[in-house]
Amino acid sequence: MSFWARIRSLHIAENKYFRILLLAELLFLFAAALGLFGKDAVYEYGAESMISSTRVWVESYEGIYLEGQENGETVEIQNISLPKGTYRVQLKYATDTNMVNSCSVIDSSIPAKNLRTNGTGLFAGLTQTDFDMWLLQDSAHLTVQVQYGGEGMLAVQGLTIYQTNAWNRIGLFVLFCFITLFNVCWVYVCYDKAYRVPPEKKSRAFLLGVIVLFSSLPLMVDGMPGAGDLIYHLMRVEGIKDGLLSGQFPIRISPNWIQGYGYASPIFYGETLLYPAALFRLIGFSIVTSYRLYLLLVTVATVLIAYFCFGKMFQNPNIGVFCSMLYSLSVYRIYKTYLCGSWGETLGIMALPLLVYGFYRVFSREEEEGCQKSWIPLTVGFTLLIQSHLLTGEMAGFFTILLCILFWKRVFRKKTFLVLAKTVVYSALLSAWFLVPFMDYMLTGDFVIQHVSERTIQDRGLYLAHLLFTFFRGGSTVYFADSGMADTQPMGVGISLIAALLVFGLLLLNKRGNVLSDKELALGKVAAGFSLLAMLFSLRLFPWDDIQKLGSIPAVLVSSIQFPNRFLTVANVCLVTVAGVVAKWQLLNKRRIQLSLYIGGMVFLLGISSIFLLNDILSRVDVFRACNSEGGLGTGYIAGAEYLPYGADASRYWYHEPECPENVTCLEYQRKELGAEAWLSNEQEEPAQVTFSLLYYKGYHAYAAETREELPCYAGDNFQVTVELPAGFEGEVTVSFESPWYWRLGEIISLITLLSMGISGLYDKKKKREEVPQCLEG
């Protein structure tokens, strides 16, 4: 009897107490849902409510006017009384400077942790700004403070505070999660009572929970460890949130990046796996909380994927738990997840065990029943890599080519070739919605990412000592040319995995691997060889600079790696595989003391390296606690600016109204997400160009609103969206970003592929259920 058949046989829905419980839960959910309505209180404050030591009223601005005062002059609205809840603070103002003046909310009468907001900077091209505020207790002494930066002019015109229902959305979500967890526990208790879950399964579940617990230690504080790429990835999440709120799906251009000009990061850097983090933000959680919840999900997924894949490979779930522990708590994963903040590589690490498992099935079980399904883990793995971190996917592709060369005879067997072909085709089809826009821009555009071939990476490589290091700490150095390993970041695979490799080498040297099957021994050899090769690639000894000089293509490929330590992603999963092979060897030897010493030794080494590193992160590394809303991130940071049009100057991108030549009038200008509307009049006898504060990417169009006639739209000065008005034109013009039809076709292809795979899987399960009774009768 299958697991789900056993669940159905429990008839839980017919249980009187469960029905009462379910009814109570529905009532709680209904009551919580009612809290989503009626949270629409509005608090307005005009200039008469403002306090300033320099109170100048300028009628043209209808507010308090500051100009020429010293830095630190403030305009305040004091003693604002609000009940606890979530709010949107909106300030109306005028200024002629960018990011010099700021607006914030303070309250010294309540603990800082109960007032969570970041405020925001003020821009010359805007007339109002708003930001989120979480107030966790009632307050009668809130102060909204507008600080003058000592340059230009600032007019503060009014303040509006809108109550939102984000707090109620959070409560409803938490209640739903709690009810779901409680019901799962209820079903488990009933299942265990009826069928007696074996103690071994309970122990494995407990151990997996412990692995998740220790892997998530940095998430158990009220902040985020400081990390190099963290801000960039958090801004990607904000881009998804803002894009969804503006009606864009899937997200192609992050609308608020670069002061609202928009940035095409989603087209070049897959964001599929970041949507859950954006969902937490849409529910109403702060950036810090969303970060913690999201990385907890990623950690759980990593632990379970590793457990499943390694357990299936070695046909022993206990080895699956062992390998999951080594993988999830590996030094390199901890470094990339919490210290480097490289979410793309973290997600790549999560997906790689699927490739190891898939290729193991393909090359070792092609003649066995069920081999035709080997393409599934491979397809899922490659699809996740394509849509989360292309660079990890490229490295995995390189080692896949080596693997196919190594087993070239098996590659051209019919079953094996069909499985590999299915993997390529289905991975491409599932990723078509991402690959089509990506290839479109790469082939037809000219971007910074296509001009990085001069960047060298050899001097960024690791020392051999990095690979043999034990007590890693949360250092800050990633460039070793000048300082060596002093204050180095924890770049290595950890002493436990190196020990596993040494034990496997000793096993081969003494020719004691005869208890292993041929395929398991081959797995260990290939994994060990690939791990050594990947670790060699990560070293400063490897001649990356010489390879880069071989031609333009090698130069671009090598430069795109950026840091050779990224090859440790591959080395990490290969070394865990080697550790699993050694564990299987010890298990088959049936020497319990030797097996216990091996497992205990690996756990000890993992503790003094990985757990030591986690504790060091918690005790020494600075954390961001005050990053609650967009204001804590800003909008201008674009890391290496790889996705800007080549030659664009991002420092010139500031909010501004449409720039018009003489004899061109602009009225009723309204800025929108990835677009704008304005009434324009061209009194010239020749075409005129109007420039909008939007970064031009392929997909922008301009129309005459009344006739829907398309107007010429192209990249003008500094690649800003420029619309050409015909001579004598008068009317409303709409500028917007639209995905080309073939992008939409790619989306449809991916959706159809996903649905067809799901339907096929359900059909196969149904067919198997129908065949079982016939087999039993026979």
Side-chain angles (χ1 to χ4, degrees), residues 371-389:
C371 170
Q372 64 271 21
K373 297 297 182 183
S374 298
W375 61 272
I376 295 178
L378 287 175
T379 298
V380 174
F382 276 115
T383 301
L384 292 178
L385 289 179
I386 291 171
Q387 299 187 33
S388 61
H389 198 240

Side-chain angles (χ1 to χ4, degrees), residues 296-614:
L296 177 61
L297 287 181
V298 172
T299 299
V300 171
T302 302
V303 169
L304 294 181
I305 288 173
Y307 165 70
F308 171 81
C309 294
F310 290 111
K312 288 290 186 181
M313 264 195 297
F314 297 111
Q315 298 179 334
N316 189 304
N318 293 327
I319 296 180
V321 173
F322 173 67
C323 290
S324 179
M325 175 189 65
L326 294 177
Y327 195 64
S328 304
L329 285 168
S330 63
V331 166
Y332 191 72
R333 180 184 178 275
I334 293 169
Y335 161 60
K336 284 296 179 181
T337 304
Y338 298 119
L339 281 173
C340 189
S342 299
W343 285 12
E345 291 176 80
T346 298
L347 295 171
I349 291 171
M350 179 186 75
L352 280 179
L354 290 165
L355 300 188
V356 177
Y357 171 52
F359 281 120
Y360 177 70
R361 289 190 58 174
V362 168
F363 289 114
S364 68
R365 302 174 59 189
E366 70 275 2
E367 300 300 332
E368 297 179 21
E369 184 180 355
C371 170
Q372 64 271 21
K373 297 297 182 183
S374 298
W375 61 272
I376 295 178
L378 287 175
T379 298
V380 174
F382 276 115
T383 301
L384 292 178
L385 289 179
I386 291 171
Q387 299 187 33
S388 61
H389 198 240
L390 272 176
L391 184 55
T392 303
E394 291 170 7
M395 290 190 293
F398 171 77
F399 281 92
T400 297
I401 293 173
L402 290 183
L403 186 66
C404 291
I405 293 173
L406 191 62
F407 294 99
W408 65 272
K409 291 183 178 180
R410 298 189 183 187
V411 168
F412 292 102
R413 291 179 181 178
K414 181 179 179 181
K415 288 186 178 181
T416 305
F417 188 81
L418 287 176
V419 168
L420 296 176
K422 274 186 177 182
T423 297
V424 173
V425 171
Y426 278 113
S427 298
L429 292 177
L430 286 171
S431 302
W433 76 275
F434 166 72
L435 291 175
V436 171
F438 172 76
M439 295 304 299
D440 187 22
Y441 273 18
M442 291 295 288
L443 294 175
T444 64
D446 187 19
F447 300 93
V448 173
I449 193 175
Q450 296 166 310
H451 298 267
V452 295
S453 59
E454 296 182 359
R455 177 175 56 200
T456 59
I457 69 169
Q458 186 167 342
D459 62 346
R460 301 179 179 185
L462 307 180
Y463 291 102
L464 181 60
H466 276 100
L467 302 179
L468 303 176
F469 205 72
T470 302
F471 297 101
F472 280 111
R473 305 190 72 174
S476 61
T477 300
V478 295
Y479 302 101
F480 311 112
D482 298 325
S483 58
M485 284 187 62
D487 196 33
T488 179
Q489 289 197 351
M491 297 182 188
V493 292
I495 191 64
S496 58
L497 296 183
I498 293 296
L501 181 64
L502 294 176
V503 172
F504 182 71
L506 183 63
L507 181 155
L508 294 180
L509 186 64
N510 293 332
K511 298 181 179 180
R512 299 179 62 186
N514 55 349
V515 295
L516 293 169
S517 65
D518 291 342
K519 61 184 181 181
E520 290 169 341
L521 191 59
L523 173 65
K525 291 179 179 179
V526 172
F530 278 13
S531 67
L532 289 171
L533 185 61
M535 286 189 287
L536 176 63
F537 288 163
S538 72
L539 299 176
R540 63 192 299 107
L541 300 174
F542 192 79
W544 287 115
D545 289 353
D546 294 334
I547 295 174
Q548 203 163 356
K549 296 174 183 177
L550 295 177
S552 58
I553 294 179
V556 171
L557 292 176
V558 170
S559 178
S560 66
I561 296 172
Q562 292 184 303
F563 294 95
N565 72 76
R566 285 176 165 168
F567 280 97
L568 295 184
T569 305
V570 176
N572 195 49
V573 70
C574 290
L575 287 172
V576 172
T577 304
V578 172
V581 172
V582 174
K584 186 65 177 287
W585 169 64
Q586 298 279 14
L587 190 65
L588 293 175
N589 265 334
K590 298 182 179 179
R591 297 177 180 177
R592 297 185 62 180
I593 295 179
Q594 198 169 335
L595 176 62
S596 299
L597 287 174
Y598 173 69
I599 300 295
M602 293 294 284
V603 172
F604 172 76
L605 292 176
L606 193 68
I608 65 172
S609 57
S610 298
I611 304 301
F612 178 85
L613 175 59
L614 284 169

Side-chain angles (χ1 to χ4, degrees), residues 52 54-56 58 61 64-71 73 75 94-97 101 148-156:
S52 176
T54 306
R55 188 179 181 88
V56 179
V58 177
Y61 288 107
I64 293 182
Y65 184 87
L66 299 176
E67 184 173 17
Q69 280 76 24
E70 295 182 0
N71 181 18
E73 179 69 28
V75 177
T95 186
D96 57 1
T97 59
N101 310 307
Y148 177 68
E151 298 178 20
M153 56 78 63
L154 170 65
V156 184

